[in-house]
């Protein structure tokens, strides 16, 4: 019975993680103005597309039970945009300075909240999975 509870909790957590990954992808589709979007310069648009695709792939992995790889990628799906937010609003990025100082943009704040929860969840699950895989039972 104990093992079944653990498996159910694992699946529930993976579903939440997958939904958070999809939310990150959706937020960035909205932010770029749909698909294919209108972000410039081109490297920013490409980074958005990569994030959106990896977010969907990660969600599929988590739904399919590929937890270790899914949680690893989910950390990147969360941490990448957090870093991009800080860089684009702080010092700015090459040829992309329109968001410098724009720390309170509502969609950006929603994005940070979703990414923060995803980062905490994915890092915790990934590290617990590593710890669990190094235990040896006789």
């Amino acid at each position: 019975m104990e093992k079944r509870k653990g498996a159910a909790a694992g699946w529930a957590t993976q579903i939440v993680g997958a939904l958070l990954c999809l939310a990150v992808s959706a937020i960035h589709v909205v932010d770029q103005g749909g698909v294919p979007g209108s972000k410039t310069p081109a490297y920013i648009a490409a980074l958005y597309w990569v994030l959106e695709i990896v977010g969907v792939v990660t969600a599929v992995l988590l739904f399919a039970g590929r937890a270790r790889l899914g949680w690893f990628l989910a950390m990147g799906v969360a941490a990448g945009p957090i870093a991009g937010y800080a860089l684009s609003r702080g010092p700015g990025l090459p040829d992309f300075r329109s968001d410098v100082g724009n720390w309170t943009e509502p969609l950006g704040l929603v994005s940070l909240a979703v990414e923060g929860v995803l980062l905490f969840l994915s890092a915790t699950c990934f590290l617990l999975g590593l710890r669990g895989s190094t235990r040896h039972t006789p």
Side-chain angles (χ1 to χ4, degrees), residues 46-115:
L47 289 172
Y48 267 65
W49 297 333
V50 168
L51 173 65
E52 294 156 7
I53 292 166
V54 173
V56 171
V57 168
T58 302
V60 169
L61 289 170
L62 289 170
F63 278 130
R66 300 287 312 271
R68 184 175 291 173
L69 178 58
W71 290 127
F72 180 76
L73 290 174
M75 288 187 290
V77 168
I82 291 171
Y85 185 90
L87 290 172
S88 66
R89 268 100 177 138
L93 295 166
D95 298 323
F96 187 71
R97 303 197 42 82
S98 61
D99 277 336
V100 172
N102 190 14
W103 294 100
T104 59
E105 175 191 15
L107 188 59
L109 295 176
V110 169
S111 184
L112 283 178
V114 171
E115 293 151 4

